[in-house]
Amino acid sequence: NNKTVLHEETHYKMLCIKLRCPWYYYLGLSILDVGPNYLSLMALNRTSLTSATLLGSLTIPSTMFFCRILLVKAYGPMHFVGVTLCIAAGLLTLKMDKDDSSTDHPDSFSGDILCVLAALGYGIGDAAAEFWSKHVDRVEYLGMIGIGGMFWCLIIVPIFEREAVLDLFTDRQSFLPVLLVILWYIASLVGYYVFESIFLKKSDATLLNLSLQTSNFWAVIFSIVVFQEKPGPQFYVAVSMVIAGVICYELCGNSPSHPEEARMELLPTTSQSPPSVFTDGYKSIEKTNG
């Protein structure tokens, strides 16, 4: 017998754009994109590149925690062993930079704190990116995050970076090299977010951050060659702990999730969000064979 199932579905409008989620959802999500990136760049002015990269491993437990909330994922004992090793490596790095603040990085401890805050923000953002890429609309997510990010940058830059922008235009010698670096950074971020969303549509955010831990080795090589920074023995101990944590996590495999349960909790319905000037609610009919 054929049966007809009614699904209450709400589409939202921002100007002429029809969205699957309210526009203010994406405005909030874009803070999770702009905020951690800004904190990371501030941290690089205070601490070393190697420490900042290693502390990025704390994104893994942050992502696991928020994936558990948003995607109702289940984790096994080995997952938590791997996370514990990554956290211990981060704490070791904090202690190392607090005890030994070199003349090159006198504010390394405060820079490390900014790295930790950025890692927490990245964890929330990556979990949300996985949810929206898989269960809402990947293209819509990327477009609206870009619009929201531009909105927040137009507010942040005049308030916090006004002098830096003015200095960029007054110094003609450094203008072109700095502009090329900015353009390269923007292009890199655009490419990263596009491929990240494709990856998250097929895999998960925790595995993404685990894979990104290979950047630790490139950061060490780059720091030694370019900045002539030679990390101490404790740093290599911390890197080894991160590698061991990644291996422990991988031994347990990918964690299962219950996306439909999470979707019911997060996505708005017509009963929860009545139509307003930004919304256009309608019912969709899906025919299924029983």
Side-chain angles (χ1 to χ4, degrees), residues 89-150:
L91 292 175
L92 179 60
T93 305
L94 284 173
K95 181 180 182 302
M96 181 173 57
D97 283 346
K98 184 178 180 180
D99 295 341
D100 183 22
S101 295
S102 63
T103 55
D104 294 333
H105 305 288
D107 299 323
S108 60
F109 182 70
S110 61
D112 291 346
I113 297 299
L114 291 175
C115 288
V116 173
L117 294 176
L120 293 175
Y122 280 131
I124 306 174
D126 289 343
E130 179 183 347
F131 179 86
W132 256 262
S133 296
K134 284 182 177 177
H135 310 298
V136 184
D137 190 297
R138 184 180 70 86
V139 177
E140 176 181 302
Y141 172 79
L142 287 174
M144 292 302 297
I145 286 296
I147 294 174
M150 180 181 65

Coordinates of all heavy atoms in Angstrom, one line a residue, residues 89-150:
A89 N 49.8 16.7 26.0 CA 50.8 17.3 25.1 C 50.6 18.8 25.1 O 51.6 19.6 25.2 CB 50.7 16.8 23.7
G90 N 49.4 19.3 25.1 CA 49.1 20.7 25.1 C 49.5 21.3 26.4 O 50.0 22.4 26.5
L91 N 49.2 20.6 27.5 CA 49.6 21.1 28.9 C 51.1 21.2 29.0 O 51.6 22.1 29.6 CB 48.9 20.2 29.9 CG 47.4 20.3 30.1 CD1 46.9 19.3 31.1 CD2 46.9 21.7 30.4
L92 N 51.8 20.2 28.5 CA 53.2 20.2 28.5 C 53.8 21.4 27.8 O 54.8 22.0 28.2 CB 53.8 18.9 27.9 CG 55.3 18.8 27.9 CD1 55.9 18.8 29.3 CD2 55.7 17.5 27.2
T93 N 53.2 21.7 26.6 CA 53.6 22.9 25.9 C 53.4 24.2 26.6 O 54.2 25.1 26.6 CB 52.9 23.0 24.5 OG1 53.1 21.7 23.8 CG2 53.4 24.1 23.6
L94 N 52.2 24.3 27.3 CA 51.9 25.5 28.1 C 53.0 25.6 29.2 O 53.5 26.8 29.4 CB 50.5 25.4 28.7 CG 49.3 25.6 27.8 CD1 48.0 25.3 28.5 CD2 49.3 27.1 27.3
K95 N 53.3 24.5 29.9 CA 54.3 24.6 31.0 C 55.6 25.0 30.5 O 56.3 25.8 31.1 CB 54.3 23.3 31.7 CG 55.3 23.2 32.9 CD 55.3 21.9 33.5 CE 56.3 21.9 34.7 NZ 57.7 22.3 34.3
M96 N 56.0 24.5 29.3 CA 57.3 24.7 28.7 C 57.4 26.2 28.4 O 58.5 26.9 28.6 CB 57.5 23.9 27.5 CG 58.8 24.0 26.8 SD 59.0 22.8 25.4 CE 57.5 23.2 24.4
D97 N 56.4 26.8 27.8 CA 56.4 28.2 27.4 C 56.3 29.1 28.6 O 56.9 30.2 28.6 CB 55.3 28.5 26.4 CG 55.6 28.0 25.0 OD1 56.8 27.7 24.7 OD2 54.7 27.9 24.2
K98 N 55.6 28.7 29.6 CA 55.5 29.5 30.8 C 56.9 29.6 31.6 O 57.3 30.6 32.1 CB 54.4 29.0 31.8 CG 54.2 29.9 33.0 CD 53.1 29.3 33.8 CE 52.9 30.2 35.1 NZ 51.8 29.7 35.9
D99 N 57.6 28.4 31.6 CA 58.8 28.4 32.4 C 60.0 29.0 31.6 O 60.9 29.5 32.2 CB 59.2 26.9 32.7 CG 58.2 26.3 33.6 OD1 57.5 27.0 34.3 OD2 58.1 25.0 33.7
D100 N 59.9 29.0 30.3 CA 61.0 29.5 29.4 C 60.4 30.5 28.4 O 60.1 30.1 27.3 CB 61.7 28.4 28.7 CG 62.9 28.8 27.9 OD1 63.4 29.9 28.2 OD2 63.3 28.1 27.0
S101 N 60.3 31.8 28.8 CA 59.9 32.8 27.9 C 61.1 33.5 27.3 O 61.8 34.3 28.0 CB 59.0 33.8 28.6 OG 57.8 33.2 29.0
S102 N 61.4 33.2 26.1 CA 62.7 33.7 25.4 C 62.4 35.2 25.1 O 61.3 35.7 25.1 CB 63.0 32.9 24.2 OG 62.0 33.0 23.2
T103 N 63.5 35.8 24.7 CA 63.5 37.2 24.3 C 62.7 37.4 23.0 O 62.1 38.4 22.8 CB 64.9 37.8 24.1 OG1 65.6 37.0 23.2 CG2 65.6 37.8 25.4
D104 N 62.6 36.4 22.2 CA 61.9 36.4 20.9 C 60.4 36.4 21.2 O 59.6 36.9 20.4 CB 62.3 35.3 20.0 CG 63.7 35.5 19.5 OD1 64.2 36.6 19.5 OD2 64.4 34.4 19.2
H105 N 60.0 35.7 22.2 CA 58.6 35.5 22.5 C 58.3 35.7 24.0 O 58.1 34.8 24.8 CB 58.1 34.1 22.1 CG 58.4 33.8 20.7 ND1 57.7 34.3 19.6 CD2 59.3 32.9 20.1 CE1 58.1 33.9 18.5 NE2 59.1 33.0 18.8
P106 N 58.4 37.0 24.5 CA 58.3 37.2 25.9 C 56.8 37.0 26.4 O 56.6 36.8 27.6 CB 58.7 38.7 26.1 CG 58.5 39.3 24.7 CD 58.7 38.2 23.8
D107 N 55.9 37.0 25.5 CA 54.5 36.9 25.9 C 53.9 35.5 25.4 O 52.8 35.4 25.0 CB 53.6 38.0 25.3 CG 54.0 39.4 25.8 OD1 54.4 39.5 27.0 OD2 54.0 40.3 25.0
S108 N 54.8 34.5 25.4 CA 54.4 33.2 24.8 C 53.3 32.5 25.6 O 52.5 31.9 25.0 CB 55.6 32.3 24.8 OG 56.2 32.1 26.1
F109 N 53.2 32.8 26.9 CA 52.2 32.1 27.7 C 50.8 32.7 27.3 O 49.9 31.9 27.1 CB 52.4 32.3 29.2 CG 51.4 31.6 30.1 CD1 51.4 30.3 30.2 CD2 50.5 32.4 30.8 CE1 50.4 29.6 31.0 CE2 49.5 31.8 31.6 CZ 49.5 30.4 31.7
S110 N 50.7 34.0 27.2 CA 49.4 34.6 26.8 C 49.1 34.1 25.4 O 47.9 33.9 25.0 CB 49.5 36.1 26.9 OG 50.5 36.6 26.0
G111 N 50.1 34.0 24.5 CA 49.9 33.5 23.2 C 49.3 32.1 23.2 O 48.4 31.7 22.4
D112 N 49.9 31.3 24.1 CA 49.4 29.9 24.2 C 47.9 29.8 24.7 O 47.1 29.0 24.2 CB 50.2 29.1 25.2 CG 51.6 28.8 24.7 OD1 51.8 29.0 23.5 OD2 52.5 28.5 25.5
I113 N 47.6 30.7 25.6 CA 46.2 30.8 26.0 C 45.2 31.2 24.9 O 44.1 30.6 24.7 CB 46.0 31.8 27.2 CG1 46.8 31.4 28.4 CG2 44.5 32.0 27.5 CD1 46.4 30.1 29.0
L114 N 45.7 32.1 24.0 CA 44.9 32.4 22.8 C 44.7 31.2 21.9 O 43.7 31.0 21.3 CB 45.5 33.6 22.1 CG 45.5 35.0 22.8 CD1 46.3 36.0 22.0 CD2 44.1 35.4 23.0
C115 N 45.8 30.4 21.8 CA 45.8 29.2 21.0 C 44.7 28.2 21.5 O 44.0 27.6 20.8 CB 47.1 28.5 20.9 SG 48.3 29.4 19.9
V116 N 44.7 28.1 22.8 CA 43.7 27.2 23.5 C 42.3 27.6 23.2 O 41.4 26.8 22.9 CB 44.0 27.1 25.0 CG1 42.9 26.3 25.7 CG2 45.3 26.4 25.2
L117 N 42.1 29.0 23.3 CA 40.7 29.5 23.1 C 40.3 29.3 21.6 O 39.2 29.0 21.3 CB 40.7 31.0 23.4 CG 40.8 31.3 24.9 CD1 40.9 32.8 25.1 CD2 39.7 30.7 25.7
A118 N 41.3 29.5 20.7 CA 41.0 29.3 19.3 C 40.7 27.8 19.0 O 39.8 27.5 18.2 CB 42.3 29.7 18.5
A119 N 41.4 26.9 19.7 CA 41.1 25.4 19.5 C 39.7 25.1 19.9 O 39.0 24.3 19.3 CB 42.1 24.6 20.3
L120 N 39.2 25.7 21.0 CA 37.9 25.5 21.5 C 36.9 26.0 20.4 O 35.9 25.3 20.1 CB 37.6 26.2 22.8 CG 38.4 25.6 24.0 CD1 38.1 26.5 25.3 CD2 37.9 24.2 24.3
G121 N 37.2 27.2 19.9 CA 36.3 27.7 18.9 C 36.3 26.9 17.6 O 35.2 26.7 17.0
Y122 N 37.5 26.4 17.2 CA 37.5 25.5 16.0 C 36.7 24.2 16.2 O 36.1 23.7 15.3 CB 39.0 25.2 15.7 CG 39.8 26.2 15.0 CD1 41.0 26.7 15.4 CD2 39.2 26.9 13.9 CE1 41.7 27.6 14.8 CE2 40.0 27.8 13.2 CZ 41.2 28.2 13.7 OH 41.9 29.2 13.0
G123 N 36.8 23.7 17.5 CA 36.0 22.5 17.7 C 34.5 22.7 17.5 O 33.9 21.9 16.9
I124 N 34.0 23.8 18.0 CA 32.6 24.1 17.8 C 32.3 24.3 16.3 O 31.3 23.8 15.8 CB 32.1 25.3 18.6 CG1 32.5 25.2 20.1 CG2 30.6 25.6 18.5 CD1 32.2 26.4 20.9
G125 N 33.1 25.1 15.7 CA 32.9 25.4 14.3 C 33.0 24.1 13.4 O 32.2 24.0 12.5
D126 N 33.9 23.3 13.6 CA 34.1 22.0 12.8 C 32.9 21.1 13.0 O 32.4 20.5 12.1 CB 35.4 21.3 13.1 CG 36.6 22.1 12.6 OD1 36.4 23.0 11.8 OD2 37.7 21.8 13.1
A127 N 32.4 21.0 14.3 CA 31.3 20.1 14.5 C 30.0 20.7 13.8 O 29.3 19.9 13.2 CB 31.0 20.0 16.0
A128 N 29.9 22.0 13.9 CA 28.7 22.6 13.2 C 28.9 22.5 11.6 O 27.9 22.2 10.9 CB 28.6 24.1 13.5
A129 N 30.1 22.6 11.1 CA 30.4 22.4 9.7 C 30.0 21.0 9.2 O 29.4 20.8 8.2 CB 31.8 22.7 9.4
E130 N 30.3 20.0 10.0 CA 30.0 18.6 9.7 C 28.5 18.5 9.6 O 27.9 17.9 8.7 CB 30.6 17.7 10.7 CG 30.2 16.2 10.4 CD 30.8 15.2 11.4 OE1 31.6 15.6 12.2 OE2 30.3 14.1 11.4
F131 N 27.8 19.0 10.6 CA 26.3 18.9 10.7 C 25.7 19.5 9.5 O 24.9 19.0 8.8 CB 25.8 19.5 12.0 CG 24.3 19.4 12.1 CD1 23.7 18.3 12.7 CD2 23.5 20.5 11.7 CE1 22.3 18.2 12.8 CE2 22.2 20.4 11.8 CZ 21.6 19.3 12.4
W132 N 26.1 20.8 9.2 CA 25.4 21.5 8.1 C 25.8 21.0 6.8 O 25.0 21.0 5.8 CB 25.8 23.0 8.2 CG 24.7 23.8 8.7 CD1 23.8 24.6 8.0 CD2 24.3 24.0 10.1 NE1 22.9 25.2 8.9 CE2 23.2 24.9 10.2 CE3 24.9 23.5 11.3 CZ2 22.6 25.3 11.3 CZ3 24.3 23.9 12.5 CH2 23.1 24.8 12.5
S133 N 27.1 20.4 6.6 CA 27.5 19.9 5.3 C 26.7 18.6 5.0 O 26.4 18.3 3.9 CB 29.0 19.6 5.3 OG 29.7 20.8 5.5
K134 N 26.5 17.8 6.1 CA 25.8 16.5 5.8 C 24.3 16.6 5.8 O 23.7 15.9 5.0 CB 26.3 15.5 7.0 CG 27.7 15.0 6.8 CD 28.0 14.0 7.9 CE 29.4 13.4 7.7 NZ 29.7 12.5 8.9
H135 N 23.7 17.4 6.7 CA 22.3 17.3 6.9 C 21.5 18.5 6.6 O 20.3 18.5 6.7 CB 22.1 16.9 8.4 CG 22.8 15.8 8.8 ND1 22.7 14.5 8.3 CD2 23.8 15.7 9.8 CE1 23.5 13.7 8.9 NE2 24.2 14.3 9.8
V136 N 22.2 19.6 6.1 CA 21.4 20.8 5.7 C 21.8 21.1 4.2 O 21.1 20.6 3.3 CB 21.8 22.0 6.6 CG1 20.9 23.2 6.2 CG2 21.5 21.7 8.1
D137 N 22.8 21.8 3.9 CA 23.2 22.1 2.6 C 24.6 22.6 2.6 O 24.9 23.7 3.1 CB 22.2 23.1 1.9 CG 22.5 23.3 0.4 OD1 23.6 23.7 0.1 OD2 21.5 23.0 -0.3
R138 N 25.5 21.9 1.9 CA 26.9 22.3 2.0 C 27.2 23.6 1.3 O 27.9 24.5 1.8 CB 27.7 21.2 1.3 CG 29.3 21.4 1.3 CD 30.0 20.3 0.6 NE 29.8 20.3 -0.8 CZ 30.5 21.0 -1.7 NH1 31.5 21.8 -1.2 NH2 30.3 21.0 -2.9
V139 N 26.6 23.8 0.1 CA 26.8 25.0 -0.7 C 26.2 26.2 0.1 O 26.8 27.3 0.1 CB 26.2 24.9 -2.1 CG1 26.4 26.2 -2.9 CG2 26.9 23.8 -2.8
E140 N 25.0 26.1 0.6 CA 24.4 27.1 1.4 C 25.2 27.5 2.6 O 25.4 28.7 2.9 CB 23.0 26.7 1.8 CG 22.3 27.7 2.7 CD 20.9 27.3 3.1 OE1 20.1 27.0 2.2 OE2 20.7 27.2 4.4
Y141 N 25.8 26.5 3.3 CA 26.6 26.7 4.4 C 27.8 27.6 4.1 O 28.1 28.6 4.7 CB 27.0 25.4 5.0 CG 28.0 25.5 6.1 CD1 27.7 25.9 7.4 CD2 29.4 25.3 5.9 CE1 28.6 26.1 8.4 CE2 30.3 25.4 6.9 CZ 29.9 25.8 8.2 OH 30.9 25.9 9.2
L142 N 28.5 27.2 3.0 CA 29.7 27.9 2.6 C 29.4 29.3 2.2 O 30.1 30.3 2.6 CB 30.4 27.2 1.4 CG 31.1 25.9 1.7 CD1 31.6 25.2 0.4 CD2 32.3 26.1 2.7
G143 N 28.4 29.5 1.4 CA 28.0 30.9 1.0 C 27.6 31.8 2.1 O 28.1 32.9 2.2
M144 N 26.8 31.3 3.0 CA 26.3 32.1 4.1 C 27.4 32.4 5.2 O 27.5 33.5 5.8 CB 25.1 31.5 4.8 CG 23.9 31.4 3.9 SD 23.4 33.1 3.4 CE 23.0 33.9 4.9
I145 N 28.3 31.4 5.4 CA 29.4 31.6 6.3 C 30.3 32.7 5.7 O 30.9 33.6 6.4 CB 30.2 30.3 6.5 CG1 29.4 29.4 7.4 CG2 31.6 30.6 7.1 CD1 29.2 29.9 8.8
G146 N 30.5 32.7 4.4 CA 31.3 33.8 3.7 C 30.7 35.1 3.9 O 31.4 36.1 4.2
I147 N 29.4 35.2 3.7 CA 28.7 36.5 3.9 C 28.8 37.0 5.4 O 29.1 38.1 5.7 CB 27.2 36.4 3.4 CG1 27.2 36.2 1.9 CG2 26.5 37.7 3.8 CD1 25.8 35.9 1.4
G148 N 28.5 36.0 6.3 CA 28.6 36.4 7.7 C 30.0 36.8 8.1 O 30.2 37.7 8.9
G149 N 31.0 36.0 7.6 CA 32.4 36.4 8.0 C 32.7 37.7 7.5 O 33.4 38.5 8.2
M150 N 32.3 38.1 6.3 CA 32.6 39.4 5.8 C 31.9 40.5 6.7 O 32.5 41.6 6.9 CB 32.1 39.6 4.3 CG 32.3 40.9 3.7 SD 31.7 41.0 2.0 CE 29.9 40.9 2.4

